[in-house]
């Protein structure tokens, strides 16, 4: 079970006990058939398959031991059935066992290298994605992150939440593309937001700081790639003690707000430029204000949620799904989204997914720096 706020992966489960024992089971089955059937059926000739199978999941020493067992079984068969011509099979067992031991050694080296890469990816994940849950005064925030690749720990989707003198400020975004370049862009944007959110008095100033950081980072790539390197993002400001929120949307899927009166899609009144494209289309940012009262549920998400497909190719109906959700805590909302996304796509999600669930509570005091204002 994944603890609240931790990174969630779609990695497959490791092999079960029956799978790990399959080389032994195969050896027993082959030996039993070889001893109980006429020699001309020659089941013994497939004994080399057992150490070959073991190399795919066992360490070197157990693989060699199984090959030795197969060798001794073949010697025993040659004594029981003198005309079996077992020496060719014995030579095959020796050759396959040597090759299997080497293959097992190489596999273990690669697994160790992958483990080291994952340690580095874990460190990168902790730098880019803040641990959740977070509670700032009356604002409760939970996060969900699903990496697209089973071996990945982080991708191009990102989020952040900070408490400032202007209120709680949130960021969620999606870098076009995948790989290390996308992770680097995400890190540049998130790190810039962590500083700008405290310094800039309005969300437009924050967006300009994010644009500058993204542009500087992408300047190291060839000019031909710049049009392909952009980032969508949503900035949200929740002032303390007020029943409203401010949203600046830079080409990102619009947030959803579920209240007792129904579901609202918080579309921007006018478009704002995507990050890294302001030099081409201008840096005119539009900030919209919406009502946000106690026990309303705000959902921020990346396009991996709405672009999840079922077997027929239909997209996940996020707005319809949320409109039928009962009142719930942010953690419960994201747990339900995680579960239903996997069920809808039959576990076949092929894009990174990030989501933030936000709820306003009236039973929590505002932070001290806000009281001082």
């Amino acid at each position: 079970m994944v603890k609240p706020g931790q990174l969630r992966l779609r990695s497959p489960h490791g092999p079960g006990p029956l799978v790990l024992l399959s080389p032994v089971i195969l050896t027993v089955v082959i030996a039993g058939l070889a001893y109980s059937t006429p020699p001309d059926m020659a089941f013994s000739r497939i004994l080399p398959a057992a150490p070959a199978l073991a190399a795919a999941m066992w360490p070197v020493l157990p693989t060699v031991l199984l090959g030795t067992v197969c060798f001794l079984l073949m010697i025993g068969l040659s004594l029981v059935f003198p005309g079996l011509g077992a020496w060719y099979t014995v030579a095959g067992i020796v050759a396959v066992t040597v090759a299997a031991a080497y293959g097992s050694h190489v596999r273990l080296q690669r697994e160790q290298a992958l483990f080291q890469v994952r340690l580095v990816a874990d460190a990168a994940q902790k730098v880019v994605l803040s641990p959740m849950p977070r509670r700032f005064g009356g604002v409760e925030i939970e996060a969900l992150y699903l990496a697209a690749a089973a071996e990945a720990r982080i991708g191009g989707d990102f989020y952040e939440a900070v408490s400032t003198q202007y209120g709680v400020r949130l960021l969620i975004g999606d870098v076009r593309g995948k790989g290390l370049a996308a992770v680097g862009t995400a890190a540049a944007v998130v790190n810039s937001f962590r500083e700008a959110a405290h310094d800039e008095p309005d969300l437009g100033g924050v967006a300009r700081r994010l644009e500058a950081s993204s542009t500087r980072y992408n300047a190291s790539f060839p000019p031909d790639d710049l049009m392909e390197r952009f980032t969508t993002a949503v900035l949200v400001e929740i002032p303390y003690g007020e029943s409203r929120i401010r949203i600046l949307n830079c080409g990102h899927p619009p947030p959803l707000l579920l209240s007792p009166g129904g579901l609202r899609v918080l579309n921007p009144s006018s478009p704002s430029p995507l990050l890294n494209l302001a030099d081409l289309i201008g840096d005119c940012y539009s900030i919209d204000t919406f009502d946000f009262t106690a026990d309303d549920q705000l959902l921020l998400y990346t396009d991996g949620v709405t672009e999840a497909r079922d077997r027929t190719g239909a997209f996940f109906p996020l707005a319809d799904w949320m409109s039928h959700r009962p009142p719930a805590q942010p953690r419960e909302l994201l747990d339900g989204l995680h579960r239903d996304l996997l069920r809808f796509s039959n576990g076949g999600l092929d894009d990174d997914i990030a989501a933030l669930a936000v709820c306003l509570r009236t039973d929590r005091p505002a932070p001290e720096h806000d009281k001082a204002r």
Side-chain angles (χ1 to χ4, degrees), residues 78-89:
S78 66
L79 297 177
V80 176
F81 305 106
L84 189 60
W87 298 110
Y88 295 104
T89 306

Side-chain angles (χ1 to χ4, degrees), residues 80-372:
V80 176
F81 305 106
L84 189 60
W87 298 110
Y88 295 104
T89 306
V90 168
I93 291 173
V94 173
V96 170
T97 299
V98 172
Y102 177 75
S104 176
H105 172 71
V106 171
R107 175 181 56 81
L108 290 174
Q109 283 188 324
R110 290 180 177 176
E111 288 179 354
Q112 181 63 27
L114 179 59
F115 177 74
Q116 296 297 329
V117 170
R118 285 179 171 174
L119 289 180
V120 175
D122 281 339
Q125 185 261 334
K126 292 176 182 178
V127 170
V128 178
L129 302 179
S130 292
M132 293 287 174
R134 306 287 287 276
R135 290 179 176 87
F136 305 114
V139 182
E140 182 178 350
I141 308 166
E142 290 277 2
L144 171 68
Y145 191 93
L146 299 174
E151 68 276 8
R153 287 295 191 271
I154 189 171
D157 291 9
F158 56 87
Y159 58 78
E160 182 56 293
V162 295
S163 176
T164 73
Q165 60 179 322
Y166 310 106
V168 176
R169 286 179 167 177
L170 310 174
L171 168 70
I172 190 167
D174 183 6
V175 180
R176 187 186 187 279
K178 300 183 183 296
L180 292 177
V183 176
T185 301
V189 172
V190 170
N191 289 331
S192 177
F193 173 78
R194 288 168 179 162
E195 295 297 325
H198 293 278
D199 299 337
E200 299 295 334
D202 65 88
L203 293 181
V206 177
R208 290 181 178 88
R209 292 273 292 273
L210 302 187
E211 166 70 22
S213 295
S214 177
T215 302
R216 283 195 297 269
Y217 176 81
N218 286 290
S220 60
F221 295 95
D224 295 341
D225 293 343
L226 293 182
M227 283 296 294
E228 299 298 323
R229 296 184 180 278
F230 58 84
T231 301
T232 66
V234 167
L235 294 166
V236 179
E237 181 179 281
I238 309 174
Y240 293 115
E242 299 183 18
S243 298
R244 57 192 172 90
I245 56 175
R246 301 185 185 95
I247 296 180
L248 191 159
N249 193 325
C250 297
H252 198 76
L256 300 179
L257 180 64
L258 182 62
S259 63
L263 181 71
R264 295 183 63 189
V265 180
L266 306 184
N267 289 304
S269 58
S270 61
S272 297
L274 283 66
L275 301 183
N276 204 45
L277 296 183
D279 288 343
L280 299 176
I281 59 179
D283 62 348
C284 182
Y285 296 99
S286 173
I287 302 173
D288 298 285
T289 302
F290 302 93
D291 293 333
F292 187 49
T293 59
D295 297 326
D296 286 354
Q297 293 177 323
L298 178 67
L299 181 65
L300 313 174
Y301 57 94
T302 57
D303 60 7
V305 176
T306 52
E307 293 180 1
R309 296 174 182 262
D310 63 10
R311 292 180 177 178
T312 67
F315 292 112
F316 182 72
L318 179 62
D320 182 66
W321 174 87
M322 191 167 178
S323 65
H324 291 88
R325 295 293 299 177
Q329 300 292 328
R331 182 75 267 148
E332 295 172 355
L333 178 68
L334 292 183
D335 285 344
L337 179 62
H338 180 209
R339 179 183 62 251
D340 292 342
L341 272 173
L342 293 180
R343 182 185 297 121
F344 179 83
S345 63
N346 196 30
L349 298 173
D350 56 4
D351 194 9
D352 298 333
I353 286 174
L356 290 176
V358 187
C359 187
L360 189 63
R361 302 298 184 191
T362 59
D363 56 347
R364 301 178 193 273
E368 292 298 325
H369 66 71
D370 189 67
K371 292 179 180 179

